[in-house]
Amino acid sequence: MEEVSEVEVIKMEDASMVASTTIPIEAEEANPENAPETLAQDSAVLPANPATLEATTAPTHFNDVEVTFHKALKNAVSTEIPKDLEVTGTLPEWLTGFHYTLSPGIFEVKYPKMVSVHGELQQETRTFSFGHWFDNIPQVNQFSFSGSNNTLKYRSTKPAHRAEGKIRENQGYLPNQPSSTFRTDTNQSVFARFLSTSHSEGRPSLEPCGASIEVLPPFNADGRRTVYCQNYANQILELNSDNLDKGGILAWDEVNPLFKGSQASPHSHYDPVTKELINFTMENGYQSTQYHFFSITEKEPHGSMIATVTAKTSHVHSFAVTPRYIILVVSPLNPSDGGMKYSWGASILDALSFKRTESTYFYVISRVKRRHIATFKSEAFFFFHHVNAFEDAEDNVYLDFSLYNDDTIAQQLSMSALLDRTSPALTKPEFTRFELANVQAEAQRVENYHAATSNVNPVDKLRGLMRRVSVGHGGPSYAVPEKNSNAIPSATRIRSAPGVEMPRINPIYHGLDYKYTWGVGIREDSDGDMWDCITKLSVKGDVAPIVWSQKDCFPSEAIFVPPPVFDQNEDAGVVISVVYNAAAHQSFIIVLDAKDLSEKARAVLPEVVPLSFTNGCFALGDVSRGMQESTPTFSDDEAEDDD
């Protein structure tokens, strides 16, 4: 079968020139074929007004003439050679630097397969489809802003491009880490998945680090111009910021063997005061997980352990950091079978189930004492993102979330649900604030309790609440410990209001009390099947939300960029987002004034950038060296045999 390039296939499909038919051969496969074929102007700033998904059948597709976001959930065509964009409007003069985003690059991979038709072998084209919006081979998008010249350049690439060839070779997807997909039928046996995930060594062109892209300062201490992509596993992909060439890939346990585990948060924290990069890895056991928190600094490039928390296995997307504390919040999205599916590489949503009757736990770690000091709990809830966390003078800690009552939203973001016209509207998040009251007093109470019970003999421990004899006036008397001396206090929900997803704040206020957050939302008058506006929220609820929207347009993450010189106004700066225009079937990048979401500038991109649910970044600074063409050389891993 003659090979057709990725770009040719995508452009042919867009012109409705390619049609693929799959002939089911029941005896042919040990595993079922993966998923059915998928398909894959006026703006306004307005004040905003302040069900569990059922199993879906094959999606009801939209055709190419319908105006829908579905056409932005198809394979992307990368712009490998940097291109100058035509800027409409005026960029702020201070806005000079590189803007990075991650978007899905490849949702589907076509591969040839020999099948028996009426007793004769024939070759047909079949399609492997990733089953969840979060599961894909990612594309890195780089924008070079020069505010003083009012110019903008763009280019994109797929660092894990060779994963596409491996999918063709294996006729399915073999992830390098267990449970590193959200909901994708890998079309591989359990044994094949186990063999694949038992090898920890990754290769840059094979590992789809597609959850976040950041500039991680401790790794750039030697002056390297690099950015880093992270995923839900423990992999970090290094890219040269000048030409997006792959610099290498490593796992956190290669930085330090103590950072053990096959999963990690894709959202590392950087504290500009202590100059620490903070994250955690997950070392999974039979029914529990050890969450190993660590820090890396310029002085300690191999890092050091902060603390380990032992808790239930769950999917923990993000965590919170304040000047004195790290807070790990674990929702009751737990293994339903003792962790067997999770350990053997099943997708996260197939291996875990949400338990509505169980609690969500808040584990507080002291950054000074470097240990777990207190635990709080609340009713069950689910979240992807913290908005922020901070402390007050009375030693209370406040945590803000984009919160959901359960994991329905994670189910709704599967490809089958997103592409089904009958699917219900997306569940909207709530901006929710929890208070952890008197953290140090609670830590002292726990410490006193453990000290009081550490010398109790085993018999008394088994009896639970026991009366212990003490000597007093007039003979023996009895001291009864407080009934709930080991009870876990509650995290109190003190505010809940309509929220946003993919929330961003002014980064100067990370870990501090703050006023505003920006994110994507759903307009009150829309179908609600995809986020279709950018919203500025007052977290105190004292100012009405402000919304930017444009007809038939769907924004990806809205990233706040503050000016290089500190401004006492928290909302001084801009918000940048890549937006898909369904009516024109094109993408554009837009720059909004963060104060009122008025448009400052925009530029149309040369190709459609698929909608994304990922974390990007902006790096202020000199762009004179950037946007160099990639060198036509192969990295070490590409020169090796992958067998």
Side-chain angles (χ1 to χ4, degrees), residues 379 381 403 405 430 432-434 491-496:
E379 71 279 8
F381 66 83
L403 179 145
N405 290 332
E430 292 184 344
T432 303
R433 175 168 292 180
F434 281 90
T492 305
R493 185 187 295 222
I494 62 174
R495 181 159 189 266
S496 193

Side-chain angles (χ1 to χ4, degrees), residues 89 104 118 126 157 185 190 194 200 245 257 399 409 420 427 440 493 505 514 518 599 612:
H118 304 304
R126 293 193 175 183
T157 189
D185 178 2
V190 172
F194 175 75
S200 61
D245 281 348
L399 297 103
I409 184 63
D420 186 353
T427 304
Q440 286 295 337
R493 185 187 295 222
I505 68 170
Y514 68 116
W518 294 260
E599 181 173 334
S612 67

Side-chain angles (χ1 to χ4, degrees), residues 283-313:
E283 185 179 8
N284 299 313
Y286 174 57
Q287 289 186 325
S288 64
T289 289
Q290 288 186 306
Y291 298 82
H292 300 299
F293 282 86
F294 60 86
S295 67
I296 298 172
T297 65
E298 182 179 348
K299 293 182 179 179
E300 289 187 286
H302 295 290
S304 61
M305 288 292 298
I306 298 175
T308 294
V309 173
T310 300
K312 286 188 175 182
T313 300

Side-chain angles (χ1 to χ4, degrees), residues 211-228:
S212 69
I213 183 168
E214 290 282 357
V215 177
L216 303 181
F219 291 149
N220 291 358
D222 58 1
R224 286 181 297 171
R225 293 167 64 91
T226 50
V227 290
Y228 298 86

